Amino acid sequence: MLNLEKSPEGIGLLGWNTELPASGIDDPLGMTLRVGARLAAELMHCITSVTPRARYYSFYPWAFERTYGRLGKAGTLAGAMQMVLLDERAMTLGAVLHHEGRTCDGGALQGSTEAIHFARSPSGESLDLRSWSHLADNASGFAPYKGSLVNLGLFEDGEVGEQGEEGEEAGTLRSGRLSGKGRRLAEAFGRAVANTRFVHLKPEDSAVPLDVLKEFGAAAGLCELMSADDCDLRPLRDLFFATDLEDENNSHHRRRMSLLLLLWAVDTTRVAGRDLDARTFDDLTFYGVVFDENDNASSVEVPGPLADIAQRWRIFHFHNYLTTALEALLSGLVRSLRYHPAGRSISDVLEAFNSDEANTGLAEYFRFESDVRFMELTPIDALALIGIDAESWRSRSSTGGKMMFGDTLIERSIRAGLVDDGLVSGTIGPALSILLLLALVLRFEHTVAEAYQGWNRAKAYQPLSDISMPTLAQALVMELGSNWWTRPLRDVVARVMTRFVVRQHETMSYEKGYGGSPPLFRVDGVMIVGMDLVLDNIGAGNPRFGSAMRVLRDLRLIVNDAEEGLILTAEGRGLLKTFLENARS
C-alpha cells in the first residue's frame, strides 16, 4: 500500500542503470480519458474524434438496407457485414477515382491511402471488390461509427451500452436491421445514388467496372454531400440536431445545443475578424471573451437559450485547465527525480521546487518582489503576487460578478507559458502549475453555480481514480480544513502531490500498464524513485471539436469563404435564427 509518510523497515532500494521504456505518458493521470471524455461524450454525443464525416451516418444505413434487400429474412449480421464491406470499398475507391486519384475534400475517407495507390496504377478496367481491401486485415470502417449509429437509434435491435470508463459511445448489434429513423436516412442516401449503375450490381458476385465505381463515387462521396439537394441533407440535419426530440434532459439535446452554440460562435468570432477554432471557442465559453485580429479581448454575452450549454462547456474547459496544472506538476516531479537513483521524498521534491533559481525566475516572470520564499507563502499571498485578491473575493457572499484579477485571463496566460513557451520543463514550471491550480479552484468555487458543479461531480464515477474540479476542491477541505487558503503552500502542495499526482499516476499506470512497461516512477515507502524519464508533452485538447466543425461543414451550415474566412451559410444563419426566435417566444 502507498505510504509516503513512513519508510518500512528492512526495505532496500534498487538503483536502475538503464533507461526503461515509458508507460502511460499519454494521459498519465487519466484526466483526458476518464472525466474529460465523459464530459465531451455528453456535450457532443455521437460525434466523436473518429466520426467526423456526416455522409457515413446515411451511407451505412443505406448499405445495410441494400444488403438485407438482397439477403432477405434469412440474412445474418455476419453475412450482412461482408456485403456492407463491399459497398464501403466501392464508395471509397469510387470517390478517389472521381477526384482523379485524390481523397474527398476535408479528408477522413476511410481507406483512402490504398484507394489512391490503386487509382495511380489500376490493373485493368474492372475490380473484384472481394479481393481488394482498403483497410488492413480486410477490416470495415463501420467499427468507429457503430456506437454512434446505435446510440442515435438507427437500428431496430441495436442495444445502447452503458457509457464506457473512457466516455465512449458503446453499442451492440444483433442483426443490423434498420429502425424507422435508420430507413429514412437510407432512403435519403438512396435517392442521391439512384441514378448510378452500381446500385443495380451485386459486387459479391462479380467484378465491377472502374467507370461504374467512378460514377458511384461522384454521387456517394463524402464531400458531395455539401452540394446535395434538400432531400439528401435534411434527414442528416434532423438527425444531428435531434429535431424529433422532446426530452431536453439527455445527451442528444446536449449535442443539438452544442452544435447551435458552435454556429453562434462562428458568427461571433467572425464579427471580431477571427475564425473559430478550438482555442477561440475555449476563450468564448470559459471567459466570455473573443479576441480580434489585433489580439484585443472584448466581452461577449451568450444568448439566453444557449447559456446553459455554454456553462457546461465552461466546465469542460475547467477540466482541461486542471489537466494542464496537474500534468505540469507531474512533469516537475519526474524531472526532479532524475539523477537521484535512490529516489526522493515529497519533502525533497518540494525543496527542489522551492530552489533559489525557481524563486528568482518566478519573480522575474511576473515582475514582483517578495521577501518570502514561494513554498512558505499561503495560497492567498501567492495569488496576491500575481494580482489576484483571493481574500477579498472569498469574503464576498455573492457568486456573481467578475473576479478581482489583475489579469482576468490568468489561466490562459499561465497555460500559454507552460505549454506554448515550454516553461513546463523549466525551473518555474512547478510554481506556475501551482498558481494555475489555485486560480482555478478560486474561480470554480465562486463563479460556477452548484447545479453545474454537481453535473461535473457526477462525471467522476470512481472517487479514488477519477479527478475533477469538485473532487479536488473537496479533498483540500477534507484534508486541510476550510481554512486551507491560509496554510503554507508547502502543506497544500504536499497533499495535492501525494493524492492527485503520485497516487493517481500509480493507479493509472497499473490500469493501463499491467503486464507491460513501467510507469514514470515507482514508490518505495517514503521514497519516489524515477525511471530517468521526462514528461514535457502536457495538457488536454478538445478532440470532438474538429469533428463537430467538419459535420457542420458537411451539412452546409458553415463554409470557408476565400475573402471572409469561416462564416455561416445562409442556411446556417437561418437555422440559428429560427431556433433562437422560437426559444425566446
Side-chain angles (χ1 to χ4, degrees):
M1 180 179 293
L2 177 69
N3 179 9
L4 295 177
E5 304 297 330
K6 180 180 179 181
S7 181
E9 297 182 1
I11 299 296
L13 299 177
L14 298 176
W16 297 91
N17 56 18
T18 58
E19 183 172 313
L20 298 173
S23 171
I25 290 183
D26 291 330
D27 197 25
L29 299 176
M31 299 287 291
T32 301
L33 293 179
R34 298 176 77 89
V35 173
R38 294 170 198 148
L39 291 169
E42 181 167 331
L43 291 169
M44 204 62 76
H45 192 48
C46 299
I47 302 177
T48 76
S49 61
V50 293
T51 59
R53 300 307 300 257
R55 189 60 139 179
Y56 280 118
Y57 287 76
S58 59
F59 165 75
Y60 283 117
W62 171 82
F64 274 100
E65 185 80 342
R66 165 176 149 87
T67 291
Y68 279 112
R70 302 202 299 278
L71 291 178
K73 294 183 178 180
T76 64
L77 179 60
M81 282 305 307
Q82 293 300 314
M83 295 172 69
V84 168
L85 176 59
L86 298 181
D87 284 349
E88 183 185 319
R89 291 171 179 172
M91 191 262 267
T92 299
L93 182 55
V96 170
L97 290 171
H98 167 62
H99 290 292
E100 304 298 334
R102 294 175 289 105
T103 188
C104 288
D105 292 343
L109 179 68
Q110 300 183 92
S112 59
T113 300
E114 287 298 321
I116 291 172
H117 179 74
F118 177 88
R120 287 174 179 171
S121 54
S123 54
E125 296 183 355
S126 63
L127 176 66
D128 189 340
L129 295 172
R130 295 168 295 183
S131 60
W132 178 78
S133 181
H134 64 317
L135 295 170
D137 301 322
N138 292 315
S140 167
F142 176 66
Y145 282 85
K146 182 181 75 170
S148 294
L149 299 181
V150 169
N151 277 264
L152 286 165
L154 305 189
F155 297 97
E156 65 179 15
D157 57 0
E159 295 182 2
V160 176
E162 293 185 8
Q163 193 176 73
E165 277 289 305
E166 298 179 351
E168 77 281 1
E169 282 78 351
T172 58
L173 284 179
R174 292 182 180 176
S175 72
R177 297 183 186 275
L178 300 181
S179 65
K181 183 187 293 187
R183 285 192 294 275
R184 285 192 292 276
L185 287 164
E187 290 168 3
F189 187 91
R191 285 193 294 269
V193 298
N195 293 326
T196 66
R197 289 168 287 171
F198 178 78
V199 299
H200 303 292
L201 301 181
K202 297 181 179 180
E204 67 274 18
D205 292 339
S206 60
V208 181
L210 298 187
D211 65 323
V212 172
L213 291 174
K214 182 177 181 179
E215 179 192 50
F216 180 62
L222 304 184
C223 57
E224 277 59 47
L225 182 63
M226 290 181 282
S227 58
D229 60 25
D230 192 59
C231 293
D232 198 1
L233 270 174
R234 181 170 293 280
L236 281 168
R237 288 178 182 168
D238 289 345
L239 177 74
F240 285 107
F241 285 89
T243 58
D244 62 340
L245 183 70
E246 295 183 1
D247 182 9
E248 296 186 354
N249 191 29
N250 62 37
S251 297
H252 297 293
H253 174 72
R254 302 268 191 262
R255 180 186 64 253
R256 173 209 291 170
M257 302 308 296
S258 290
L259 292 175
L260 289 165
L261 181 66
L262 286 177
L263 292 178
W264 170 81
V266 166
D267 206 34
T268 300
T269 53
R270 177 43 38 206
V271 171
R274 300 289 290 269
D275 284 348
L276 182 69
D277 58 19
R279 179 160 292 190
T280 55
F281 183 66
D282 181 338
D283 294 336
L284 199 58
T285 50
F286 189 76
Y287 292 113
V289 301
V290 61
F291 287 84
D292 63 22
E293 52 194 357
N294 298 317
D295 216 29
N296 297 314
S298 300
S299 297
V300 293
E301 184 176 352
V302 177
L306 300 176
D308 174 76
I309 196 65
Q311 283 297 315
R312 295 181 194 276
W313 274 106
R314 188 167 184 247
I315 295 297
F316 175 83
H317 296 310
F318 262 113
H319 189 79
N320 275 5
Y321 276 118
L322 178 62
T323 300
T324 299
L326 293 178
E327 288 186 357
L329 271 178
L330 175 61
S331 175
L333 167 64
V334 297
R335 191 172 290 277
S336 74
L337 298 177
R338 300 191 78 187
Y339 315 117
H340 293 273
R344 306 181 88 173
S345 66
I346 285 288
S347 296
D348 295 334
V349 171
L350 296 187
E351 281 302 313
F353 289 177
N354 203 30
S355 67
D356 291 342
E357 185 180 0
N359 276 273
T360 300
L362 189 67
E364 291 177 351
Y365 185 76
F366 284 108
R367 299 180 182 178
F368 65 72
E369 295 182 1
S370 176
D371 296 328
V372 182
R373 297 178 73 82
F374 183 68
M375 283 295 176
E376 313 314 321
L377 295 167
T378 67
I380 288 177
D381 293 336
L383 289 178
L385 291 176
I386 59 173
I388 302 175
D389 189 353
E391 185 170 19
S392 295
W393 182 256
R394 291 184 65 247
S395 67
R396 291 168 59 102
S397 59
S398 171
T399 59
K402 295 182 178 179
M403 298 191 70
M404 291 174 253
F405 279 7
D407 178 1
T408 57
L409 312 178
I410 188 66
E411 298 92 344
R412 185 182 194 267
S413 300
I414 294 178
R415 182 169 65 182
L418 287 169
V419 179
D420 300 340
D421 299 335
L423 295 179
V424 65
S425 59
T427 56
I428 69 171
L432 288 177
S433 65
I434 292 165
L435 290 170
L436 174 56
L437 182 66
L438 295 176
L440 281 171
V441 174
L442 185 67
R443 192 185 293 270
F444 186 83
E445 289 185 340
H446 296 284
T447 70
V448 177
E450 175 56 36
Y452 297 106
Q453 290 193 26
W455 181 69
N456 191 177
R457 192 178 298 113
K459 301 304 177 188
Y461 297 167
Q462 302 294 331
L464 298 180
S465 57
D466 291 348
I467 300 176
S468 67
M469 284 298 307
T471 56
L472 184 141
Q474 183 181 30
L476 288 174
V477 172
M478 291 180 64
E479 295 189 25
L480 296 172
S482 59
N483 66 338
W484 67 268
W485 287 95
T486 61
R487 299 279 293 269
L489 270 180
R490 183 182 302 276
D491 295 346
V492 177
V493 178
R495 296 302 193 279
V496 171
M497 290 285 290
T498 300
R499 164 63 185 87
F500 297 102
V501 177
V502 176
R503 185 186 304 166
Q504 184 70 14
H505 181 60
E506 279 212 315
T507 300
M508 292 300 100
S509 297
Y510 177 81
E511 288 190 4
K512 295 194 291 182
Y514 181 74
S517 54
L520 296 170
F521 55 77
R522 61 184 177 85
V523 175
D524 199 332
V526 74
M527 306 301 285
I528 307 168
V529 184
M531 302 297 184
D532 196 28
L533 300 169
V534 294
L535 174 70
D536 293 334
N537 184 21
I538 65 166
N542 189 349
R544 299 192 185 215
F545 175 86
S547 294
M549 294 294 285
R550 181 68 258 174
V551 165
L552 290 176
R553 286 185 177 91
D554 287 351
L555 298 181
R556 213 165 59 215
L557 299 174
I558 62 175
V559 66
N560 284 96
D561 183 83
E563 296 183 358
E564 298 185 64
L566 183 64
I567 60 173
L568 296 183
T569 64
E571 293 161 293
R573 188 175 301 280
L575 188 152
L576 178 62
K577 180 182 178 181
T578 297
F579 168 78
L580 293 178
E581 289 177 349
N582 290 341
R584 288 168 176 154
S585 61

